[in-house]
Amino acid sequence: MREIDVKVITEKVRDLCIEANTDLGEDVLRAFDQAMAKEESPLGMEILKELKGNAWIAKEEKVPICQDTGFAVVFVELGQDIHLIGGDLKEAIFEGVRQGYQDGYLRKSICHPFTRKNTGDNTPAIIHTEVIPGEKVKITVAPKGGGSENMSRVVMLTPSDGVGGIKQFVVQRVKESGSNPCPPTIVGVGIGGTFEQAALLAKKSLLRPLGSTNPDAELEKLESEILTEINKLGIGPQGLGGRTTSLAVHILMMPCHIASLPLAVNIQCHAQRHKEAVI
Ligand code: SF4
């Protein structure tokens, strides 16, 4: 059995918090380029250029892509043949978040829901742990901004709503969100499971690289159809009009109860940040 000291996990989480907040992925930059090739609105085109320039400055100067450096959402795939030593995994991740947000000069955005008193160190983090075969641990840090998270929804559709109902709800959600989630967005969709699982599927779908195809041909087709409808809305970059309201729709699906059709829409802004490391 392989031993890993949780101090290594703290260090990785620290570095990933900083990296994710300052270095936008190549897949997102390529998606901006592809959107510029199709954008008809001069203002929309200008904004897409600004977003690319902003990402470049953030990377060069090691400053955050956006002032909202997000809730630290951490996905852990933990090999079942690993023995963690030196402390508690959850506390090790929290400490990594603390250090990352402090050392990286990242805004601390987490507060008490009633008093709104800031926790002061961007903890707690949201941790999703999955035990997998093997003796490696994969950590993905995905900081999530409040503006786009606020526009997300979970709904329990009825089986008779079907695929048509799913399409209608997702497009309507993007329409009602308007400029709030800082478009162009990536629309994460979770279908099936239970109430909470649908939300997790939607969030996880956002980790898929932009430009990649869905391994399920039926979902790939549905993603394309929904994206086409969304980009007919005319909301455009930053909500100022144009074709590029969303860069992609990503869907994850699993079986559901015969009585229900859970659906979650997790909207992600253009600051599509996540970084991963394997230990
Ligand atoms: S929604 Fe995204 S781009 Fe907009 S303020 Fe929040 S993190 Fe920044």
Side-chain angles (χ1 to χ4, degrees), residues 66-68 145-148 180-182 269-271 273:
C66 178
Q67 45 75 34
D68 181 353
S148 56
N180 291 304
C182 299
C269 61
H270 67 267
R273 303 161 287 192

Side-chain angles (χ1 to χ4, degrees), residues 51 65-70 107 143-149 179-183 238 268-273:
L51 295 181
I65 297 154
C66 178
Q67 45 75 34
D68 181 353
T69 51
R107 192 185 80 185
K144 190 68 173 70
S148 56
E149 196 73 346
S179 64
N180 291 304
C182 299
Q238 293 298 307
Q268 168 64 51
C269 61
H270 67 267
Q272 160 67 322
R273 303 161 287 192

Side-chain angles (χ1 to χ4, degrees), residues 48-232:
L48 289 167
K49 276 190 210 158
E50 292 282 341
L51 295 181
K52 217 181 149 190
N54 176 65
W56 186 82
I57 292 167
K59 187 175 176 155
E60 285 298 302
E61 300 189 6
K62 297 260 175 290
V63 293
I65 297 154
C66 178
Q67 45 75 34
D68 181 353
T69 51
F71 213 132
V73 181
V74 182
F75 292 89
V76 181
E77 288 179 21
L78 185 65
Q80 64 188 19
D81 297 327
I82 289 173
H83 178 209
L84 294 172
I85 56 167
D88 174 73
L89 174 64
K90 186 173 92 172
E91 187 42 46
I93 291 172
F94 282 14
E95 183 55 24
V97 170
R98 260 179 221 116
Q99 292 181 15
Y101 276 71
Q102 189 62 30
D103 299 350
Y105 303 101
L106 308 175
R107 192 185 80 185
K108 287 92 178 171
S109 309
I110 310 307
C111 69
H112 186 285
F114 295 166
T115 64
R116 313 308 293 178
K117 186 175 184 306
N118 200 300
T119 63
D121 59 7
N122 222 58
T123 68
I126 303 294
I127 306 173
H128 300 293
T129 310
E130 192 181 345
V131 178
I132 57 162
E135 53 175 28
K136 292 201 170 141
V137 53
K138 181 174 167 190
I139 302 172
T140 306
V141 174
K144 190 68 173 70
S148 56
E149 196 73 346
N150 286 349
M151 296 299 110
S152 304
R153 296 288 186 273
V154 179
V155 61
M156 301 303 282
L157 297 180
T158 60
S160 62
D161 287 320
V163 178
I166 290 171
K167 273 190 196 172
Q168 196 185 7
F169 186 86
V170 177
V171 175
Q172 186 64 18
R173 182 80 298 266
V174 174
K175 187 177 178 186
E176 286 170 10
S177 299
S179 64
N180 291 304
C182 299
T185 54
I186 297 97
V187 183
V189 179
I191 304 171
T194 51
F195 180 84
E196 83 283 9
Q197 185 64 28
L200 187 54
L201 288 173
K203 175 123 329 191
K204 271 191 178 170
S205 77
L206 296 171
L207 301 180
R208 201 178 102 207
L210 287 183
S212 62
T213 48
N214 194 314
D216 181 323
E218 192 183 16
L219 295 184
E220 172 72 15
K221 183 169 168 279
L222 187 56
E223 287 178 356
S224 166
E225 287 170 3
I226 295 176
L227 183 64
T228 302
E229 288 306 308
I230 287 173
N231 284 336
K232 280 183 196 164

